[in-house]
């Protein structure tokens, strides 16, 4: 049986106050989606309830089924629109989500994580995953790189553990990582998914790739951008299970550069769309078994090294905040007996010192322990994955760039389909089910 599935993802840049032309762009996005021919739509940065209500009002006839993932203080900003019924939904929050005190960044308030909706489309069970990993606000000194890494591994684990009953997996969103960075490698090698961009024979496989953020063609890209060609950080990853397999993949960026009649685009990101042609063979097909390759292990080890380095920086931060707390406390104690010589000014100064003391004490104790626990939790999961790999049979490693050269019918990066073993009599023997080889 043959079938076709179409999907699109877009970071809508719906940040209140900060995002330029937000209202006009949201209306334009909703209008475009209302006439777009997709089975599934993945949207990120839909922060305001009014914007989500606007999109639902204009697209309800085209996409009668939808789900918004609520999380954190202001919501995750992610939602899924569907032409087909959604049978279940779930949101898994990541153990680390940035810093609450970095109010101007705001990622912590969104409660980062990964959302899941399961849909039934043309006889297929399709798992729809969406995420928006922590942003990188400083290319030269990315203090959130470890948070993003732990989030990506958490997403990969979640996908792997919840996708056993699906025929097709679509994992879309803004990953804030390019294909050369660890979070991307973790997704492809630990979740066993393929980047749809590399599956289309027409896309450019050599740098510069088609940018989805800070693209030169985007009206919101600054002329002084540090990225000459932009970066590709918005993805749709795909995977199949059981008798279902990919026959052909078509990738494109469907949005025009400008909204009709306006001098601005739809978002500061480009939309990414895929069209998948699928074939479902009769019978049960090969059993899906996650069997790690050596290159996947190197990705896990590299991730552990980054986490360990970050833990050391956390220790240094803790020492800094402790020292500052002691100094501020000394100032408060030393000024307890001072007479009030300058009226309200002196009282205001003491109030400021008290607030700073409370902040540094909180950062040195409560917050440091929360963040340390999140990173350590990620490291424990990474070590479990490596231990599972060491208990599995060795396989031939994939070279680092093979993910870019895979065909639609090729094996997934970092994942091998375990074939039935031959017994001494020459008969086929079904592979054993055990936690050691990662059978789901």
């Amino acid at each position: 049986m043959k079938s076709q599935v179409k999907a699109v993802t877009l970071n809508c840049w719906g940040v209140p106050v900060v995002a330029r032309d937000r209202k006009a762009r949201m209306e334009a996005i909703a209008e475009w989606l209302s006439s777009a021919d997709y089975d599934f739509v993945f949207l990120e940065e839909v922060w305001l309830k009014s914007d989500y209500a606007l999109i639902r009002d204009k697209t309800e006839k085209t996409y009668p089924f939808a789900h918004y993932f609520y999380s954190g203080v202001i919501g995750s900003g992610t939602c899924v629109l569907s032409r087909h019924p959604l049978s279940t939904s779930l949101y898994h929050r990541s153990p680390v989500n940035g810093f609450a005190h970095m109010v101007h960044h705001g990622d912590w308030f969104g409660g980062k994580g990964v959302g899941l909706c399961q849909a039934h489309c043309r006889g297929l069970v399709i798992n729809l995953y969406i995420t928006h990993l922590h942003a990188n606000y400083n290319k030269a000194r990315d203090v959130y790189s470890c948070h993003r890494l732990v989030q990506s591994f958490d997403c990969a684990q979640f996908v792997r553990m919840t996708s056993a009953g699906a025929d097709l997996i679509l994992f879309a969103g803004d990953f804030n990582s390019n294909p050369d960075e660890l979070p991307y490698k973790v997704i492809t090698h630990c979740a066993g998914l393929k980047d749809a961009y590399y599956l289309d024979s027409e896309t450019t496989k050599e740098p510069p790739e088609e940018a989805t953020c800070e693209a030169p063609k985007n009206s919101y890209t600054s002329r002084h951008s540090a990225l000459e060609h932009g970066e590709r950080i918005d993805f749709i990853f795909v995977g199949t299970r059981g008798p279902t397999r990919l026959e052909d993949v078509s990738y494109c960026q469907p949005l025009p550069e400008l909204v009709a009649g306006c001098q601005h685009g739809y978002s500061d990101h480009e939309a990414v769309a895929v069209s998948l042609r699928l074939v479902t063979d009769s019978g049960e097909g090969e059993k899906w078994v996650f069997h790690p390759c050596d290159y996947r292990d190197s990705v896990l080890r590299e991730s552990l090294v980054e986490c360990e380095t970050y833990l050391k920086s956390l220790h240094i931060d803790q020492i800094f905040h402790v020292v500052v707390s002691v100094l501020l406390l000394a100032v408060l104690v030393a000024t307890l007996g001072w007479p009030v010589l300058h009226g309200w000014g002196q009282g205001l100064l003491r109030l400021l010192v008290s607030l700073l003391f409370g902040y540094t004490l909180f950062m040195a104790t409560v917050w440091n322990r929360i963040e340390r626990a999140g990173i350590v939790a990620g490291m424990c999961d990474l070590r479990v994955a490596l231990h599972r790999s060491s208990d599995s049979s060795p396989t031939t490693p994939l070279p680092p760039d093979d993910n870019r050269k895979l065909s639609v019918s090729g094996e997934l990066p970092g994942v091998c389909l375990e074939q039935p073993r031959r017994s001494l009599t020459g008969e086929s023997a079904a592979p054993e089910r055990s936690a050691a080889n990662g059978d789901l």
Side-chain angles (χ1 to χ4, degrees), residues 313-434:
S313 70
L314 276 182
H315 182 63
I316 295 173
D317 289 343
Q318 185 179 38
I319 293 174
F320 170 78
H321 285 114
V322 167
V323 170
V324 175
S325 297
V326 171
L327 293 176
L328 290 172
L329 180 61
V331 171
L332 288 174
V333 172
T335 57
L336 281 177
W338 284 14
V340 180
L341 302 176
H342 302 289
W344 63 269
Q346 184 173 324
L348 184 62
L349 180 61
R350 284 182 56 82
L351 176 62
L352 179 61
V353 173
S354 299
L355 291 174
L356 286 175
F357 168 72
Y359 167 76
T360 54
L361 183 63
F362 176 81
M363 293 300 294
T365 55
V366 178
W367 187 260
N368 190 274
R369 289 184 67 86
I370 291 174
E371 190 177 5
R372 182 183 298 274
I375 300 299
V376 170
M379 293 177 67
C380 289
D381 293 338
L382 286 165
R383 290 193 178 103
V384 168
L386 272 173
H387 179 71
R388 179 171 58 86
S389 299
S390 63
D391 289 344
S392 303
S393 301
T395 57
T396 304
L398 285 175
D401 294 331
D402 267 9
N403 184 51
R404 303 189 180 196
K405 302 173 184 177
L406 287 171
S407 64
V408 172
S409 59
E411 290 185 353
L412 300 182
V415 176
C416 303
L417 282 173
E418 184 174 313
Q419 303 296 329
R421 295 189 292 271
R422 294 282 176 181
S423 65
L424 294 176
T425 59
E427 297 178 352
S428 296
E432 298 177 358
R433 299 177 65 85
S434 69

Side-chain angles (χ1 to χ4, degrees), residues 92-96 146 149-151 153-154 157 303-304 307-308 310-311 314 368-385:
H92 173 68
R93 189 165 172 174
S94 297
V96 286
C146 189
L149 174 60
V150 172
Q151 287 175 351
F153 183 71
D154 204 49
Q157 291 286 81
S303 300
L304 275 172
C307 289
E308 289 168 355
Y310 188 76
L311 281 181
L314 276 182
N368 190 274
R369 289 184 67 86
I370 291 174
E371 190 177 5
R372 182 183 298 274
I375 300 299
V376 170
M379 293 177 67
C380 289
D381 293 338
L382 286 165
R383 290 193 178 103
V384 168

Side-chain angles (χ1 to χ4, degrees), residues 167-222:
D167 299 303
L168 174 66
I169 298 167
L170 296 176
F171 188 12
D174 176 1
F175 292 79
N176 278 306
S177 304
N178 63 58
D180 294 326
E181 294 178 327
L182 263 181
Y184 175 96
K185 296 175 183 177
V186 165
I187 295 293
T188 55
H189 290 277
C190 298
L193 300 177
K194 296 180 182 179
D195 184 350
Y197 179 88
Y198 294 130
L199 297 179
D200 187 343
S201 59
E202 301 298 323
T203 55
T204 303
K205 304 301 189 297
E206 300 297 331
E209 298 175 352
E210 296 179 38
T212 63
C213 181
E214 295 194 51
K217 66 179 181 180
N218 192 289
S219 63
Y220 292 106
T221 299
S222 171

Side-chain angles (χ1 to χ4, degrees), residues 150-162:
V150 172
Q151 287 175 351
S152 65
F153 183 71
D154 204 49
C155 288
Q157 291 286 81
F158 183 77
V159 171
R160 190 176 68 83
M161 297 299 292
T162 59

